[in-house]
Amino acid sequence: MDTQKKSRIFLNPLLKENPILVLILGLCPVLGVSETIDKAIGMGMAVILVLFCTNLVISLIRKLVPNEVRIPIYIVIIASFVTMVQMLMNAFTPELAESLGAFIPLITVNCIILGRAEAFASKNSVGDSILDALGNGFGFLIAVFLVAFFREFLATGGWKLSNPFTNSTIFEIRPLADFAIPLFGQNTGAFLTLGIIIGIVTAIRISSEQRKTLKAKKEVQ
């Protein structure tokens, strides 16, 4: 039973309770950095690292933090780890850090990070909090990657993936460059792509729930 609980903690945020595609939280970075898969992966990894560190620390100190000042303390912890991540990116992946710009420090106010700290890490064990952080972090990465995958393809006719440490091209393919739609490289394209993906995910989720309900009714009959 404990194994099933831990599996749900990690797996639910990937798709069933995805923070972006289902709960509609933290949309700002998804819209802002999803022009390319390079930026999407970079932002996703930064969010995973911050979530992991903050959930770990907050779970460790949860019994020591006075209830009246817990939110300011959580924000200070989150901001500290965001600063560390930004410094690491500036040192080792400077071009990626520059392309992400202000969206790195804005991780501090991402409602997914603070939400998981308040709703989960402050009330659960270190192990469960780490699983929750990884689940929500990878859920965020999946969502932002999906948006970037379709946006970059529609805007440029293909994809390009670079090594963030050397900035060398790993691969580049533009089979439909002549049919590119520049609109999808703009903010409007971000809203359109994210809206369509959320709509598809919602339709699949509703259809799945309806099938389960019908199956349950048939079993009762």
Side-chain angles (χ1 to χ4, degrees):
M1 185 68 180
D2 189 53
T3 303
Q4 292 179 348
K5 176 189 173 185
K6 292 184 183 300
S7 296
R8 286 197 301 271
I9 290 172
F10 175 74
L11 295 175
N12 280 3
L14 297 182
L15 291 174
K16 187 177 179 181
E17 297 175 6
N18 188 281
I20 302 296
L21 304 179
V22 177
L23 303 181
I24 321 296
L25 300 173
L27 299 185
C28 183
V30 177
L31 296 170
V33 304
S34 58
E35 306 100 299
T36 67
I37 56 176
D38 281 341
K39 293 174 67 174
I41 293 173
M43 177 58 72
M45 296 307 296
V47 168
I48 289 171
L49 185 55
V50 172
L51 259 172
F52 178 89
C53 294
T54 54
N55 267 25
L56 172 63
V57 171
I58 289 169
S59 180
L60 283 171
I61 66 170
R62 68 186 188 280
K63 295 180 180 179
L64 305 175
V65 177
N67 189 56
E68 296 78 9
V69 294
R70 69 187 189 283
I71 299 300
I73 290 175
Y74 296 163
I75 292 173
V76 169
I77 292 171
I78 294 168
S80 299
F81 283 116
V82 170
T83 301
M84 292 179 195
V85 168
Q86 185 175 21
M87 292 172 69
L88 287 171
M89 292 184 74
N90 285 333
F92 296 103
T93 59
E95 295 201 20
L96 176 61
E98 184 179 354
S99 69
L100 292 175
F103 288 101
I104 300 175
L106 282 174
I107 294 174
T108 304
V109 293
N110 190 311
C111 52
I112 297 173
I113 312 287
L114 183 58
R116 298 325 297 167
E118 168 66 8
F120 198 92
S122 64
K123 302 171 185 174
N124 290 276
S125 67
V126 173
D128 286 352
S129 296
I130 289 174
L131 287 174
D132 179 76
L134 293 174
N136 279 277
F138 280 104
F140 176 90
L141 176 60
I142 288 169
V144 72
F145 179 83
L146 272 176
V147 176
F149 181 86
F150 290 108
R151 276 190 72 192
E152 184 172 0
F153 180 76
L154 292 168
T156 66
W159 304 276
K160 177 183 177 182
L161 182 64
S162 302
N163 184 328
F165 298 99
T166 63
N167 206 42
S168 58
T169 300
I170 297 174
F171 77 83
E172 182 174 5
I173 179 171
R174 308 286 185 194
L176 298 178
D178 293 338
F179 302 95
I181 308 172
L183 172 70
F184 284 92
Q186 302 170 11
N187 294 333
T188 304
F191 278 103
L192 284 172
T193 307
L194 179 60
I196 291 169
I197 292 174
I198 289 175
I200 292 171
V201 169
T202 301
I204 293 172
R205 185 164 53 86
I206 292 173
S207 177
S208 176
E209 290 173 355
Q210 288 175 341
R211 285 198 300 270
K212 288 180 181 178
T213 302
L214 288 172
K215 184 178 179 181
K217 288 181 178 178
K218 288 179 180 178
E219 289 176 352
V220 171
Q221 292 173 352

